[in-house]
Amino acid sequence: MSKPSILVARAIFPKVLDKLAQHFNVEANADDRDWAPHELARRLQGKVGALTTGGQRIDAALLATCPQLCIVANMAVGYNNFDLDAMTAAGVQGTNTPDVLTETTADFGFSLLMAAARRITESEHFLRGGRWTQWRYDMFAGAEIHGSRLGIIGMGRIGQGIARRGAHGFGMEVQYHNRSRLPDALEAECKARYVSKDELLRTSDHVVLVLPYTPEAHHTIGARELALMQPTATLVNIARGGIVDDVALAAALRERRIAAAGLDVFEGEPRVHPDLLALHNVVLTPHIASATVRTRQAMANLAADNLIAFFDGRGALTPVNHPPLLRRQESA
Ligand code: GLV
């Protein structure tokens, strides 16, 4: 029996490609080009599965051109590149990579918070620029982390990881806002108190965003929300671009209406708004919150294992939708 054909939309670890090649005819993207939608659609012709990395839009228009496609495995925990309703309606399975990146991403969120609040990159640029000529009592004095009040918006697995780090590691008072409240036992374990979004913004020393990007989450933080925050506060976004209004944030940072920000994700990335690039009180990183070698390997392996399990007939390991009728797997 011939192997099913799949497309791997971006470069991934060679060992993971080798594993996939044992089960599938694999078309890879050795040059790691970011294919335009029409190019992606062209390459998906005749493919029953795809491994995507979060940057490839899978929507009704694409699915209509690829009637053989049965499963798209995202190498990311977020899947806002999927039009999930369209995939479900078309009988296409979607999967993501939860759990394997939780602690690594929480580590990074905390790093970004520390770097922004303690002005680490700003002071490094100062030093590298040869401007450090003497000690000064208030030089790069930032905001306290330990014992301060941490607000987390989005209290899924990664949010809980950040809460634990703050409460148990840094003696922070943790408050959170989420679509739904956590069970009491989990709140107690995370030492986290549920509050409204506005109360969180008004009363937190540091605000970390870890919510999924949905149409309702667009500009969760805009000019109104920034105006509620304290002038000494830090804002960290490790969730998705579009959750923060980047132009409004740049204005708030420029006018010192909030003290600092740490951003790993941006509206329209990889482009970063020039207003943000012009500021010193923001730490900017290129969407790397899950980027340790071990975690990225685990993510790639889980995405591959989803494809393998699906075509073995075992079902997807970490599905994000449940189409009532799946496209026929032998349609290739
Ligand atoms: C990264 O942003 C992810 O969703 O895994």
Side-chain angles (χ1 to χ4, degrees), residues 7 55 98 185 283:
L7 181 72
V283 179

Side-chain angles (χ1 to χ4, degrees), residues 25 43 58 81 117 150 216 220 231 241 245 285 298 318:
N25 290 317
R43 290 181 183 269
I58 307 296
N81 56 316
L150 172 62
E216 305 76 58
T220 294
D245 177 342
T285 53
T318 48

Side-chain angles (χ1 to χ4, degrees), residues 1 61 72-73 90 95 132 137 160 192 194 202 220 311:
M1 221 175 70
V72 183
T95 67
W132 185 25
Y137 74 99
Q160 291 163 32
Y194 182 85
R202 268 194 211 101
T220 294
F311 287 106

Side-chain angles (χ1 to χ4, degrees), residues 242-322:
I243 287 178
V244 175
D245 177 342
D246 286 350
V247 173
L249 174 60
L253 287 165
R254 193 169 45 243
E255 293 156 21
R256 305 281 164 168
R257 286 185 273 114
I258 70 167
L263 305 175
D264 188 46
V265 287
F266 305 88
E267 290 190 284
E269 65 184 53
R271 288 186 312 280
V272 176
H273 199 285
D275 289 1
L276 287 171
L277 291 170
L279 296 168
H280 294 295
N281 53 344
V282 57
V283 179
L284 307 167
T285 53
H287 203 146
I288 56 167
S290 65
T292 65
V293 175
R294 197 166 63 186
T295 292
R296 285 284 165 88
Q297 283 171 343
M299 291 165 69
N301 273 305
L302 180 52
D305 290 344
N306 265 301
L307 293 168
I308 294 166
F310 181 83
F311 287 106
D312 273 358
R314 286 179 282 138
L317 306 175
T318 48
V320 295
N321 66 341
H322 298 279

Side-chain angles (χ1 to χ4, degrees), residues 75-79 97 101 105 238-240 265 287 290 296 299:
M75 184 187 144
V77 67
Y79 46 89
T97 57
L101 48 60
T105 305
I238 55 165
R240 277 289 181 273
V265 287
H287 203 146
S290 65
R296 285 284 165 88
M299 291 165 69

Side-chain angles (χ1 to χ4, degrees), residues 76-137:
V77 67
Y79 46 89
N80 54 300
N81 56 316
F82 289 175
D83 179 336
L84 215 52
D85 290 342
M87 288 173 71
T88 303
V92 174
Q93 180 70 70
T95 67
N96 69 340
T97 57
D99 300 322
V100 292
L101 48 60
T102 301
E103 299 303 329
T104 301
T105 305
D107 281 349
F108 190 85
F110 222 87
S111 313
L112 209 46
L113 168 58
M114 306 252 324
R118 295 302 308 274
R119 308 177 63 180
I120 290 176
T121 56
E122 183 187 359
S123 60
E124 186 191 354
H125 287 139
F126 171 84
L127 180 154
R128 286 180 186 273
R131 285 179 282 145
W132 185 25
T133 52
Q134 58 182 354
W135 183 91
R136 203 187 126 84
Y137 74 99

